[in-house]
Amino acid sequence: MERFDFNYAPFNYLSNPERVMLQKAVDIAFFHNGESIIRPEEPIEFLYVVMKGLVKEIGADGDVVSLYHPRDTFEARGLIEGVSHHQFVVEEEALVYTIPKDVVLKIIESNPRFGAYCYASVADKFASLSNSKNESEFESLFTAKVRDAYRDNPTWLEGGDSVFRAAEVLKERKTKSALVRHEGRIGVFTESAFRDIVIAGAPSSDAIHNWAAFNLISIDIDDFVFNALLRMTTFKIQRVVVTENGQPIGTLEQIDVLAYFSNHSHLVAQRLERAKTIDELVDIAGQMTDSIRLLRNNGVRAPQLAQLMQVLNSSLFEKAWRILAPADLYDNSCLIVMGSEGRGEQILKTDQDNALILRESVNPEEAAEVAEQFSATLARLGYPPCPGKIMVNNPAWCKTLPEFKKMVSGWCHAPDGEAMMNLAIFIDAKAVAGDVAMLAEVKEHLQKRMINDAGMLMVFARAVDQFESQSKGFFSQLLNRSGSEKMDIKKMGQFPVVHGIRALSLEARIEETNTFERIRHLVQLNIIDEALGQDVAEALSYIMDLRFSANLHILESGSGTPNQVDFANLSTLERDLLKDALQVVKRFKNVIRHHFHITS
């Protein structure tokens, strides 16, 4: 008997006694071309591992849904459940290991990690396995102390200070938060409080203790950075108060943590705040990409990197607009970013997707001239022009507030393909500079004008199938050698999820723009069930990781087509996770089709 190879997932998770048990029980079987190894709804008695050859998995609809190469494992889930709903057929003469069911069950019982591979939900499988390769890279995260990442430069205010005074101090100190002393208590006043103040119609003379938070979430300065991140995640906040000997001494922001692990002596965001010229911004834009590379090497995943880049890009765009636009134009305009940038899901620099909303008092010729300068500046910073010209230098996307309202209303009343594309782009919009209240006003207008028209929503949601012809039968194409083994992971995986969630969010009037936040909100509203929400979120995270790795390779090598993942070059574990991710996407698309009554 040939010795079993334990050097790949999930068998590399086994202990020595477990490996001995498996080695004693494993056998080898040979199957001819066209022979069925597993038939639908028939009992399964073995876990199979391909040694040589090729096996295809055929779904209930007759499509080839996956291919299994040497070192690939199947059908773990079906083995546990007793039967598989799919058929596994030999495509090229196959030699496979057969591991008896009772041995697999014993190992699962003694080895939770192996069990996660075999029987965990898709979400748990991604969470358990996709990060395993980065364990050593996270070692510093578990040992770093808060005092290592904390910047000792707190801003203090008194509870009796006015809202106007607080705004002056935050602007002067170029910070988003300040600690507040009031009647023997310590609180925190953050930039987000201004939103609540405006909504409540409170005067600028109001005392800030009315708007500060005194139920502080804190972390000791000698605690671990990892614990600080856990608290930020648990309480869904962007900062924790740092204490020393029980007394608040400052705050630790998410961006401080990311900056610390980027190994940069100076925070990129701080350089952005100090920048005075476009030339300085060009240098900083290059440093941003270097930071992303370093963070990636430290094991930070794509969704978190995207959130960081949204913060940095927003600051970069705001600074560029502030440098270029005269004060009156800046104060009477609202610069917005849209698409993946607006959602906070873009990592590397991509095409410009932006627009400008203007007060009617603005000189249109001056606005057009500065908008042209801004688009040219972004190109210089590394953001190429949008092929569809969705940019501020296009009059169609540089309009007064009333014109913008009229435009978005028109999309709902005449829902053709172009209108729905524009609506999809716009509802992801985020304000980055100027009078941000104007974007809120346009979105509020859109919500009031949007008709709960099932037909319009169906047309909008139908775009989940926009690339169906490319994704359908991908594995069949590989078998027929009718295409390369590269897939456009954005079109086949990321876009259907992003747009399907966007369609559900539009129908539910959800204000969040980030896809992961939208998923959480949709689960809370019971529009999608929790298990599906977890699977979709984890699948999207993994797809974003693959896409980012592929595009980063193109950036470093200087050649290649964006978003193309080479299936042949993926490891056994990566291929396995990708197959699971694509199955989640397929399942989610079926949910969207059913929900919006989309027919083929």
Side-chain angles (χ1 to χ4, degrees), residues 24 37 90 94 225 352 373 388 469:
K24 288 181 177 179
I37 300 178
V90 175
V225 169
Q352 300 178 37
Q373 295 173 8
S469 61

Side-chain angles (χ1 to χ4, degrees), residues 20 28 212 432 468:
V20 171
I28 296 176
V432 295
E468 180 69 7

Side-chain angles (χ1 to χ4, degrees), residues 27-37 48-56 68-72 74 88-98:
D27 205 346
I28 296 176
F30 174 79
F31 294 91
H32 294 283
N33 287 357
E35 191 173 352
S36 290
I37 300 178
Y48 297 92
V49 183
V50 180
M51 297 174 63
K52 296 179 181 179
L54 183 65
V55 177
K56 62 184 178 183
Y68 296 89
H69 300 77
R71 289 192 168 188
D72 287 349
F74 67 94
F88 292 76
V89 180
V90 175
E91 178 67 21
E92 297 174 0
E93 287 188 344
L95 201 62
V96 299
Y97 288 114
T98 58

